[in-house]
């Protein structure tokens, strides 16, 4: 260690705390003692270092505060979006559940009514052999055979066209089923009400609510035997 | 140093400077860097009584940060084909007196001129916390011995003086050992 005793006087000199004559005397010493000058330079460097070091520490602290602020803003955003998203998800779940309930409910009702429809057997009224034949086959759910027999007939009664339509529907040939039901509706026959109802159910089987809805509305507004069921599906 | 005061100064100063610095650059890292450098350098100099009479401290910090940013751009030659002087018009109408402008320039110059002496840095690392706090308080913040009595639990001013002496002695001893 060099010149330990100079520490205080160097500090006093650098702080301008020496009296006029003390300062002159000390500056004279500096000229004569190179080691003293070297020590003064070191003191200056130490002061400069301590100051710069403190600035460096403050700078790190400020950067941390800025970072904390950014993190805080980020967390608030995440919290906001999480809260908003939770609400959105909850609302969506409620909406989806509701729609799903309505959809499956209408689907299950539609399916149930469709099953009833195709089980609606022809009357057991006596007719010719030909009629006995296909009505029997319809009761036995042999729809393909019913289609085959009825399609061979050049002239069909409204009843035959209606059951041909039902047979096609039962065989999931919906487009041909609709053609039969449309024919009946256009003819304005006694089977028209049934054909409207059957066609609406076929549209529902095809998930075509846009076509089913006006038909169901028309049926529900009428005094048809199917109006209550139509209201149920609506 | 009064930490609460500095935090309070930072809060208000950041609110003032942030939008203005964002008007200069979209580079957030640059903004954070020049602002933290400027406010720290400014705060130390205020505490040392070097900027006692300035009216608008926030504006001074902003001008310092802006000048540092421009200086960095010049050094790194980020501006290609763009006049730096043309951007000087974005001063938010802050007109500084020549004296203050000169002082700001000097403060920035201090930063550029400073070359860290590794031996002092290493010697500083060997000092205990109390020595570092005392030297910080006396050298950087020019705190008076009487103020340090209660703040650092000294019995009397002679103890403060003796401790400072001892700390400087240790620092120089470590320095000479490392530099040897």
């Amino acid at each position: 260690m060099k010149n330990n005793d100079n520490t205080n006087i160097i500090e006093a000199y650098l702080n301008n705390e020496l009296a006029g004559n003390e300062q002159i005397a000390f500056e004279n010493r500096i000229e004569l003692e190179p080691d003293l000058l070297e020590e003064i330079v070191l003191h200056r460097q130490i002061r400069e270092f301590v100051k710069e070091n403190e600035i460096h520490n403050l700078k790190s602290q400020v950067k941390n505060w800025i970072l904390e602020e950014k993190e805080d803003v980020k967390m608030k955003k995440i919290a906001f979006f999480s809260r908003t998203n939770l609400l959105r998800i909850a609302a969506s779940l409620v909406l989806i559940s509701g729609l799903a309930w309505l959809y499956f409910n209408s689907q299950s009702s539609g399916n149930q009514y469709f099953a009833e429809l195709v089980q609606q057997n022809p009357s057991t009224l006596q007719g010719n052999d030909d009629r006995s034949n296909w009505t029997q086959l319809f009761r036995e759910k042999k729809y393909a055979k019913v289609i085959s027999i009825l399609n061979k007939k050049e002239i069909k009664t409204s009843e035959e066209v209606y059951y041909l339509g039902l047979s096609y529907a039962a065989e999931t040939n919906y487009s041909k089923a609709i053609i039969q039901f449309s024919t009946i509706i256009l003819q304005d026959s006694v089977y028209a009400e049934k054909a409207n109802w059957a066609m609406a159910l076929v549209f529902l089987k095809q998930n075509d609510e846009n076509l089913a809805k006006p038909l169901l509305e028309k049926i529900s507004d009428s005094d048809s035997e199917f109006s209550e069921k139509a209201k149920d599906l609506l | 140093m009064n930490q609460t005061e500095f935090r309070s100064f930072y809060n208000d100063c950041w609110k003032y400077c942030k939008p203005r610095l964002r008007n200069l650059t979209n580079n957030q890292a640059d903004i954070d860097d020049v602002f933290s450098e400027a406010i720290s350098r400014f705060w130390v100099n205020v505490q040392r009584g070097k900027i006692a009479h300035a009216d608008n401290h926030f504006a001074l910090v902003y001008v310092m940060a802006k000048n540092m940013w421009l200086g960095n751009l010049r050094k790194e030659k980020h501006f290609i084909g763009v006049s730096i002087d043309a951007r000087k018009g974005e001063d938010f109408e802050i007109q500084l007196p020549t004296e203050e402008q000169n002082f700001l320039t000097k403060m920035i110059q201090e930063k550029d001129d400073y070359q860290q002496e590794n031996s002092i840095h290493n010697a500083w690392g060997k000092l205990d916390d109390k020595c570092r706090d005392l030297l910080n308080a006396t050298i950087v913040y020019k705190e008076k011995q009487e103020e340090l009595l209660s703040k650092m639990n000294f019995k009397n001013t002679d103890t403060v003086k003796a401790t400072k002496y001892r700390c400087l002695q240790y620092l120089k001893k470590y320095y000479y050992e490392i530099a040897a």
Side-chain angles (χ1 to χ4, degrees), chain B residues 71-154:
Chain B
N72 290 343
L73 285 181
R74 286 192 189 96
K75 278 182 211 160
E76 296 167 19
K77 296 181 180 173
H78 276 179
F79 268 136
I80 298 169
V82 178
S83 163
I84 297 173
D85 289 340
R87 286 192 160 237
K88 283 189 174 175
E90 299 173 351
D91 254 349
F92 290 88
E93 297 175 3
I94 295 169
Q95 299 295 326
L96 294 176
T98 314
E99 194 182 340
E100 286 178 0
Q101 186 62 55
N102 289 342
F103 186 72
L104 290 185
T105 309
K106 194 182 158 202
M107 274 199 288
I108 296 167
Q109 197 63 42
E110 276 178 4
K111 167 186 166 278
D112 294 337
D113 289 347
Y114 178 70
Q115 289 180 335
Q116 186 166 307
E117 170 60 71
N118 280 331
S119 299
I120 297 176
H121 180 261
N122 293 336
W124 179 258
K126 288 188 168 192
L127 285 183
D128 60 36
D129 287 344
K130 189 161 186 176
C131 266
R132 284 201 289 253
D133 289 345
L134 179 61
L135 292 180
N136 249 342
T138 53
I139 295 175
V140 182
Y141 295 106
K142 307 280 184 193
E143 290 187 56
K144 290 177 182 169
Q145 291 173 355
E146 290 79 8
E147 293 172 44
L148 296 170
L149 291 179
S150 58
K151 201 185 267 186
M152 296 186 74
N153 293 324
F154 286 110

Side-chain angles (χ1 to χ4, degrees), chain A residues 15-165:
Chain A
N15 287 334
N16 289 322
E17 288 168 357
L18 292 179
N21 55 346
E22 287 175 325
Q23 187 171 334
I24 292 166
F26 187 71
E27 284 171 351
N28 288 336
R29 274 186 64 198
I30 293 170
E31 284 181 19
L32 298 168
E33 299 174 34
D35 282 356
L36 181 58
L37 178 61
E38 191 186 311
E39 204 171 352
I40 292 170
V41 171
L42 176 60
H43 270 250
R44 283 190 189 278
Q45 284 179 334
I46 287 170
R47 287 164 161 252
E48 201 56 29
F49 166 80
V50 175
K51 192 184 89 182
E52 288 297 325
N53 190 57
E54 177 64 3
I55 289 169
H56 175 77
N57 290 340
L58 290 181
K59 189 179 169 181
S60 302
Q61 194 171 44
V62 169
K63 279 192 170 179
N64 277 338
W65 287 338
I66 294 173
L67 195 67
E68 277 171 18
E69 188 186 289
K70 283 179 189 166
E71 289 294 320
D72 193 40
V73 170
K74 206 165 134 185
M75 291 306 291
K76 278 179 185 164
K77 275 184 185 170
I78 289 169
F80 173 77
F81 284 118
S82 300
R83 201 165 55 238
T84 312
N85 278 347
L86 277 177
L87 287 172
R88 280 184 187 151
I89 289 165
S92 301
L93 282 174
V94 169
L95 188 63
I96 288 166
S97 308
L99 288 173
W101 184 84
L102 284 172
Y103 177 75
F104 288 115
N105 199 40
S106 67
Q107 279 286 93
S108 84
S109 299
N111 285 334
Q112 185 193 329
Y113 291 140
F114 186 82
E116 283 175 12
L117 185 75
V118 292
Q119 282 168 9
Q120 200 177 48
N121 292 328
S123 69
T124 52
L125 285 170
Q126 292 294 314
N128 53 30
D129 292 344
D130 191 36
R131 183 179 184 279
S132 301
N133 192 13
W134 71 258
T135 53
Q136 183 58 36
L137 288 168
F138 191 90
R139 285 186 200 101
E140 292 169 6
K141 304 186 191 305
K142 293 175 180 173
Y143 303 115
K145 286 187 177 176
V146 174
I147 292 166
S148 174
I149 290 169
L150 291 179
N151 270 338
K152 283 175 188 166
K153 292 188 76 172
E154 284 184 12
I155 299 169
K156 301 178 192 75
T157 65
S158 294
E159 184 195 29
E160 287 168 339
V161 176
Y162 176 70
Y163 281 98
L164 179 61

